[in-house]
Amino acid sequence: AVKDKPIFLTTHFLLPHWPWTSRDTEELENYPTPAVPMADSLFRYRMMLQQVDRQFGNFMKELQAAGQLNNTYVFLISDHGDGFSMVKDNLEPGVKSNAVLETNTRGHATNIFNLGQYRVVMAARYYGGNRIKPIIKKELASIMDVYPTIMDLLGEKDLLKGLDGISMFAGDSEKNHRQLFMETGFSILELTSSEIDMEDMIANGIQAYTVDKQGKLVVKDEYYDFIVSSKHRAIMEGDWMLAMVPSMAKYLVLVNRKEKKWWPVDLYEGEKDWQSMLGAMCEHYKGDVGFDQVGLCLS
């Protein structure tokens, strides 16, 4: 019966997630094996990527052998990126000033300015024809775009109206002018350390959590407002990002991700219309607890 009906299947591969370990330690082709592998997070992370690549390959071979890849769309999506304080993720100031900005801390969802924390993979392939032609693009995208992309491929364009996401096959003009919003998650200082100490992380993070009546681990009610009000928030538009960080008070930061440069907006003299980006961000986040604590939206 299953063979005669469409199948929707999701699979989550967990190896490339902290603490980036498995039962196997192996060498990497372009990365020397450290004397103490467990003390090198980047080595372990790359090792897990190597292992999950094989894991995914074996998974696809099994689906192929079972005849489940005939007339099938496959989407491969990273759930988040990770920052490892790599040189390629550094942002440089676009103007001389006394402003200091930490742009390259460790972790994921801990620093809105760290490029590696939100540089992810979104790939698609069709098995059974050439409906998706091979191409590599580096552009703004969101998990919200998967559904519109599938509907577009199926010819159901009427279902695209009113959605937040857009099809990955939309025109460049539509994609380059879209606005996406991004924010950090709940973070403690231990998550940004060069090497995470599990005992310290648990000791400092556990106070924000409790177990509810269903046995689920949840954030305590009294911590909710604090977590929401302390978030970094940003709006993305093409190569540009405008960020608002509570600890920076009245100072907004404009970033060109392609040039890897940042400016305090009061010192930016370029042509990018960051004011319209601010307006859109103010509208999007206006209901959040603690958002815009110094009245930037009003000014």
Side-chain angles (χ1 to χ4, degrees), residues 109-113 182-189 208 219 222-234 243-249 285 288-293:
T110 59
N111 188 340
I112 208 81
F113 301 108
M182 185 170 61
E183 60 196 64
T184 53
F186 174 39
S187 178
I188 56 176
L189 193 59
V219 174
E222 58 265 35
Y223 272 81
Y224 181 82
D225 287 356
F226 167 75
I227 292 172
V228 174
S229 63
S230 63
K231 285 176 175 289
H232 299 189
R233 294 177 176 84
M244 183 186 295
V245 179
S247 63
M248 297 179 68
Y285 286 113
D288 277 15
V289 174
F291 172 64
D292 189 22
Q293 298 173 19

Side-chain angles (χ1 to χ4, degrees), residues 6 41 56 75 81 84 88 114 120 134 141 154 160 167 186 224 228 266 299:
S41 290
F56 178 70
F75 289 82
F84 288 93
K88 68 178 182 178
N114 182 264
V120 298
L154 296 178
L160 304 182
S167 169
F186 174 39
Y224 181 82
V228 174
D266 58 339
S299 61

Side-chain angles (χ1 to χ4, degrees), residues 139-199:
E139 57 191 22
L140 288 182
S142 164
I143 195 170
M144 296 184 298
D145 299 337
V146 174
Y147 175 76
T149 300
I150 294 174
M151 292 302 102
D152 191 0
L153 289 168
L154 296 178
E156 301 287 349
K157 292 187 181 295
D158 288 343
L159 297 178
L160 304 182
K161 299 175 182 177
L163 298 177
D164 290 328
I166 63 174
S167 169
M168 288 189 279
F169 299 102
D172 289 341
S173 177
E174 184 177 357
K175 285 183 287 190
N176 290 337
H177 289 89
R178 74 181 308 192
Q179 293 177 330
L180 287 178
F181 301 92
M182 185 170 61
E183 60 196 64
T184 53
F186 174 39
S187 178
I188 56 176
L189 193 59
E190 283 71 23
L191 291 175
T192 64
S193 302
S194 58
E195 294 296 335
I196 298 174
D197 185 292
M198 187 179 299
E199 291 185 1

Side-chain angles (χ1 to χ4, degrees), residues 21-33:
T21 57
S22 72
R23 65 184 180 183
D24 300 316
T25 300
E26 57 191 44
E27 294 185 351
L28 300 177
E29 186 173 333
N30 297 311
Y31 195 100
T33 303

